[in-house]
Amino acid sequence: MPIETIFDTMEYGTAPEDRSIALQWIANHGGLIGPYVNGVFAPARDDLAIRNPATGEKLAGMTLCTKDEVTEAVQSARAAQPDWQKAGGPARARVLYALARLMQKHARLLAVMESLDNGKPIRESRDIDIPLAIRHFYHHAGHAQLMPSALSDRVALGVCGQIIPWNFPLLMLAWKIAPALAMGNTVVLKPAEYTPMTAMIFADICSQAGVPPGVVNIVTGDGSTGAALVDATVDKIAFTGSTSVGRQIQEATAGSGKSLTLELGGKSPYIVFDDADIDSAVEGLVDAIWFNQGQVCCAGSRLLIHEAIADDFHNRLKARMDKLRIGDPLDKSIDVGAIVDPIQLQQIQALVQANTAGQTYHAQTPVPEGCFYPPTLITGLHPADTLMQEEIFGPVLVSTTFRTPAEAVEIANNSKYGLAATLWTENINLALEIAPKLVAGVVWVNATNLFDAAAGFGGTRESGFGREGGWEGLQAYSKPRQPLPEPAQVTPFTGQGAAADDIDRTAKLFIGGKQARPDGGYSQAFFGPKGQLLGHAPIANRKDIRNAVQAQLACGWGKTTGHLRAQILYYLAENLAAQTNRFAERLDAMTGLTTGAEEVRAAVDVLFTYAAWADKFEGRAKSVPMRAVALAMREPVGAIAALCSDQHPLLGLVTPMAAALSTGNSITLCASAPFPLAATDFSHILEASDVPAGVVNILTGPQADLAPHLGAHMGLDTVWCLSGAELTQEVQARASSNIKRVWQGAAQDDHDSWLDAGTEIKTIWIPYGE
Ligand code: NDP
């Protein structure tokens, strides 16, 4: 037979990985797995069956942990936490290093077990999941070592409850446990019901690595176990999973004082410009949507292809799809493995079957019986079609076309999610123009699905908040050393005295750059300590909030340069300083104190400080172990509303405003409720200082009436609750409407925390080399 014919007809042989090592591990544990608490495996029960999705065979029985068992695990973590923290960063570094080393020594067992349990191809678990998980522990051993010097002003949160999904079981465990332990926290982790096995091996490794009892606890079970962990007396919940459960958790933790980070779903765009290297972009797409059977939160599941190359691209993509090999996950030459569970398979099938738009193409490749689904491409969809908007979480790519870069950005951002984005172009100028415009926590240029422990990962919009990995990920597992005192509540003075001014002055709201009467037409009288009438302040309502947020969304402040923002903040300082006496008198008259002049000087200083930071609060270029730079860019969080503290009517207004403006955000300030007249006076300073319309809006009125509307508003990205726990709870209870960030402020001089609260890291990956 001629060699050419041999090449044309050559078939892959099978290359099965030996599974006996993993099955033996299960047998050694009596075929049952259960909670790992206080350094030992508790007796396990056969409450739920863990199955190999590729064959349906039962791998093990699993304990469904009850509320009491979760409580016991949390108590164990609580008891262990003080000593773990006191042990110090370098001692923790040794333990994390030992964990990394031992995971490396058991890498093959972990990889085989992951593929058996989850259905992912062994070449992915062996070459991606497990090495990345190990790298996470090495990297965070370093963070533990450096904590005393590099993060000396921060301490552990305490006990962290961590809930992870089934798509990357060990990798998600590593993303959660490594930073938590490095910062001195102890953890209770709940793996997903479908995929607990590698977490159990990890528990075994913890015992070998000298992790003190109680520092790592693992509770097995289903959603009810997760819900019990959310309710338990933990200091933080870190969750990765669906947006719907993330929303429930945000509601359940409202007002509890628990820290929260949410890494949720996505519908990430994959944009291919007409000058892209098409074959590379096709190959990238294979990794974007068929990696892990498309069960990836940041999967490039929405192809946006330039109209001029769409037909050619789709044809080459279909040819590539037909070559993908689907089958036994433990076969080393398999590209696409099993879907995690028949229920997930049914969801994928139902979503695709319900779609009547576009043309559906299934890869022409043999699909085994059982829990398998062929790589699928749906072309000709419109941006508003259901499958362009909803996460399928399976190997299904949807596609639409665009004509100009501006249109590509518009379609890409037309989503409730904002997790990741990929763009392909040979024009680096175009790439660096487009990357900042994409609403996403991670952007890959001419590559996709690159991850590393040094580079932050996380979303925006309904993809959640908080970052995992890198320096930014440590913020979520530590807090300032000095606790923030609860802001004092102040009652306004009452009175019936004569007006303090000869001529009546009408204070108004400040919305969209204009003085505005309150929509409701109500005002409230304010009196000085001796009962004299100081003036009336308008009472804002829901419609005033709506108008203010609309003005914020149209203002374009986020696109300005740091230099321009600094100039305007300095100008504000200049104009406020020129009015020192007037403001000082007003403050003294409202509060009955004599500290007005001091407060004005402090406010001027704050404006100078944040003006200074405006062009200096920079990102980093991350050192990742590959031929790429990962740029950690600081981006504004967007539209902020602040409930200003009662005390310090001017300083409490100017500080959030200056921090927000410095970092490129617009802000609606709900002024000090008992002393609002300094805020209404301040609007004249804003008018005189070239602040563009809508960048700063000032509302007055009872904050308790405004707080629920701020919490529920879909246009606001963040609410800063600076006036106390009660209103924080009000806002948090409604913040899940659009998965809003809620922040309770920092000490006046903790500038880093204020600036951090105004920014989120976007990681832009740019590979280099020929
Ligand atoms: P879930 O969000 O339901 O599960 C994630 C984790 O949360 C699991 O450990 C789960 O436990 C647990 N959990 C479930 N309900 C609760 C609750 N009320 N309180 C606390 N914890 C809870 O995702 P699923 O695994 O059910 O997948 C459903 C969909 O979610 C997928 O189709 C996909 O769209 C999306 N998803 C997104 C992921 C991402 O990375 N963004 C990852 C996985 C899924 P248990 O597994 O035991 O039910």
Side-chain angles (χ1 to χ4, degrees):
M1 188 187 288
I3 290 180
E4 200 184 335
T5 316
I6 295 175
F7 272 119
D8 280 348
T9 56
M10 203 160 52
E11 268 302 315
Y12 283 93
T14 53
E17 177 69 42
D18 180 9
R19 67 182 63 197
S20 59
I21 173 181
L23 298 180
Q24 187 59 51
W25 188 92
I26 296 171
N28 292 348
H29 286 75
L32 289 179
I33 57 163
Y36 175 78
V37 175
N38 209 21
V40 290
F41 285 104
R45 300 185 296 271
D46 195 1
D47 299 330
L48 295 167
I50 305 303
R51 295 187 185 281
N52 173 352
T55 60
E57 78 193 285
K58 181 174 173 182
L59 290 173
M62 180 180 81
T63 311
L64 188 136
C65 284
T66 61
K67 205 172 170 54
D68 287 347
E69 285 167 320
V70 171
T71 305
E72 202 181 313
V74 171
Q75 282 166 351
S76 146
R78 179 69 65 199
Q81 201 271 329
D83 283 350
W84 179 242
Q85 184 166 351
K86 261 187 250 142
R92 295 196 296 272
R94 295 329 176 246
V95 174
L96 286 162
Y97 181 75
L99 281 170
R101 280 294 201 208
L102 280 159
M103 286 167 76
Q104 219 160 19
K105 287 173 199 166
H106 297 297
R108 192 52 71 108
L109 167 64
L110 287 164
V112 173
M113 189 69 96
E114 200 75 303
S115 284
L116 272 179
D117 196 17
N118 167 281
K120 60 175 68 201
I122 183 74
R123 67 182 176 85
E124 289 180 8
S125 50
R126 184 195 59 199
D127 299 342
I128 299 172
D129 292 48
I130 309 304
L132 275 174
I134 294 167
R135 158 99 179 119
H136 229 75
F137 279 96
Y138 278 130
H139 181 79
H140 284 89
H143 279 307
Q145 179 75 21
L146 297 180
M147 187 181 182
S149 54
L151 296 168
S152 57
D153 55 345
R154 296 190 72 84
V155 291
L157 293 172
V159 175
C160 301
Q162 307 183 312
I163 301 171
I164 57 172
W166 42 257
N167 51 351
F168 293 93
L170 189 74
L171 186 56
M172 290 299 108
L173 174 150
W175 281 22
K176 297 274 180 288
I177 291 186
L181 262 47
M183 295 292 101
N185 304 279
T186 55
V187 304
V188 179
L189 175 123
K190 193 204 87 68
E193 173 186 349
Y194 298 149
T195 55
M197 299 306 296
T198 46
M200 293 292 115
I201 301 177
F202 179 80
D204 228 354
I205 289 175
C206 284
S207 297
Q208 297 169 39
V211 176
V215 169
V216 172
N217 304 275
I218 296 176
V219 287
T220 51
D222 62 9
S224 67
T225 313
L229 184 53
V230 171
D231 286 344
T233 52
V234 293
D235 302 296
K236 178 197 169 84
I237 290 292
F239 172 79
T240 299
S242 59
T243 297
S244 60
V245 173
R247 190 167 268 131
Q248 286 171 34
I249 291 177
Q250 193 172 20
E251 283 159 16
T253 53
S256 66
K258 291 172 192 167
S259 300
L260 182 64
T261 41
L262 298 173
E263 201 270 273
L264 309 176
K267 189 80 186 177
S268 300
Y270 188 99
I271 309 168
V272 185
F273 289 97
D274 55 349
D275 66 346
D277 171 347
I278 295 185
D279 288 326
S280 299
V282 166
E283 211 47 47
L285 198 44
V286 170
D287 282 339
I289 183 66
W290 294 304
F291 171 54
N292 204 24
Q293 296 68 249
Q295 304 167 128
V296 183
C297 52
C298 56
S301 53
R302 222 168 16 121
L303 171 62
L304 314 186
I305 177 92
H306 192 281
E307 197 179 69
I309 56 166
D311 288 345
D312 181 23
F313 190 91
H314 287 145
N315 288 339
R316 292 199 219 185
L317 182 60
K318 286 176 189 169
R320 183 68 182 89
M321 286 164 69
D322 293 346
K323 292 268 187 280
L324 291 171
R325 303 187 74 238
I326 312 176
D328 178 8
L330 285 181
D331 184 334
K332 291 171 200 134
S333 52
I334 280 296
D335 300 305
V336 180
I339 301 296
V340 73
D341 188 86
I343 292 178
Q344 183 68 15
L345 179 66
Q346 282 161 22
Q347 279 176 20
I348 298 166
Q349 287 166 334
L351 275 166
V352 175
Q353 276 160 17
N355 172 57
T356 52
Q359 296 80 43
T360 301
Y361 181 81
H362 296 298
Q364 302 299 297
T365 179
V367 181
E369 285 293 304
C371 219
F372 294 89
Y373 195 84
T376 297
L377 167 68
I378 307 179
T379 51
L381 292 185
H382 294 290
D385 283 332
T386 307
L387 291 192
M388 286 294 284
Q389 294 293 332
E390 295 303 322
E391 191 179 32
I392 301 173
F393 225 67
V396 182
L397 175 69
V398 295
S399 169
T400 195
T401 57
F402 67 87
R403 290 183 185 172
T404 62
E407 198 189 358
V409 170
E410 199 176 319
I411 299 173
N413 292 343
N414 178 18
S415 168
K416 62 186 172 189
Y417 297 113
L419 189 52
T422 301
L423 64 97
W424 288 80
T425 169
E426 290 298 287
N427 179 348
I428 187 71
N429 296 343
L430 178 66
L432 295 181
E433 156 88 9
I434 299 296
K437 293 182 178 166
L438 296 171
V439 181
V442 183
V443 178
W444 293 292
V445 175
N446 292 335
T448 201
N449 276 341
L450 301 181
F451 308 100
D452 183 56
F457 182 90
T460 175
R461 290 187 178 164
E462 295 194 22
S463 294
F465 48 76
R467 292 291 175 266
E468 298 191 294
W471 291 100
E472 53 270 36
L474 305 178
Q475 298 289 326
Y477 284 103
S478 59
K479 62 182 179 189
R481 190 173 286 282
Q482 294 303 329
L484 191 64
E486 171 68 10
Q489 305 294 308
V490 181
T491 321
F493 296 112
T494 52
Q496 293 178 343
D501 291 320
D502 295 343
I503 299 180
D504 186 66
R505 283 164 58 183
T506 306
K508 293 191 187 151
L509 305 175
F510 188 66
I511 297 176
K514 296 197 182 89
Q515 305 282 332
R517 291 184 199 285
D519 171 84
Y522 291 105
S523 295
Q524 186 184 353
F526 284 89
F527 301 92
K530 293 190 182 135
Q532 73 278 32
L533 177 67
L534 298 177
H536 292 85
I539 298 180
N541 68 11
R542 185 172 56 86
K543 288 190 185 161
D544 296 309
I545 292 177
R546 182 197 61 192
N547 295 342
V549 177
Q550 260 172 12
Q552 284 183 263
L553 296 178
C555 75
W557 184 249
K559 297 191 186 116
T560 54
T561 63
H563 175 73
L564 179 86
R565 298 198 293 270
Q567 294 303 302
I568 289 179
L569 285 164
Y570 283 128
Y571 198 17
L572 279 164
E574 190 184 311
N575 287 330
L576 178 61
Q579 303 272 339
T580 300
N581 292 343
R582 188 182 136 210
F583 272 89
E585 275 170 29
R586 182 65 122 173
L587 291 168
D588 290 347
M590 281 193 300
T591 60
L593 305 171
T594 54
T595 51
E598 199 184 311
E599 186 172 338
V600 181
R601 277 194 293 277
V604 170
D605 193 52
V606 160
L607 287 165
F608 255 74
T609 301
Y610 288 108
W613 274 117
D615 59 358
K616 298 175 191 65
F617 195 59
E618 292 149 343
R620 290 168 187 254
K622 297 300 182 79
S623 175
V624 290
M626 58 190 93
R627 281 149 56 91
V629 281
L631 302 176
M633 312 288 288
R634 287 196 179 272
E635 290 200 337
V637 291
I640 301 177
L643 293 163
C644 299
S645 73
D646 282 359
Q647 287 179 309
H648 310 302
L650 183 65
L651 190 59
L653 182 93
V654 167
T655 302
M657 183 203 76
L661 263 56
S662 172
T663 41
N665 302 282
S666 60
I667 190 161
T668 290
L669 297 153
C670 302
S672 155
F675 307 131
L677 297 175
T680 52
D681 288 351
F682 189 75
S683 62
H684 300 292
I685 302 284
L686 290 167
E687 280 177 323
S689 307
D690 291 347
V691 178
V695 174
V696 180
N697 304 281
I698 298 181
L699 305 181
T700 52
Q703 291 191 352
D705 294 347
L706 299 175
H709 301 300
L710 297 179
H713 200 294
M714 298 294 281
L716 285 170
D717 300 292
T718 300
V719 181
W720 290 355
C721 298
L722 312 172
S723 60
E726 207 174 308
L727 292 188
T728 307
Q729 183 166 355
E730 275 293 323
V731 173
Q732 282 176 336
R734 290 163 179 81
S736 68
S737 58
N738 63 341
I739 315 283
K740 236 180 233 91
R741 294 153 172 74
V742 181
W743 184 63
Q744 286 170 269
Q748 179 70 28
D749 58 355
D750 182 0
H751 305 131
D752 275 357
S753 291
W754 284 94
L755 294 164
D756 268 334
T759 52
E760 190 65 279
I761 296 286
K762 174 189 267 182
T763 306
I764 302 180
W765 288 79
I766 310 169
Y768 53 78
E770 282 295 309

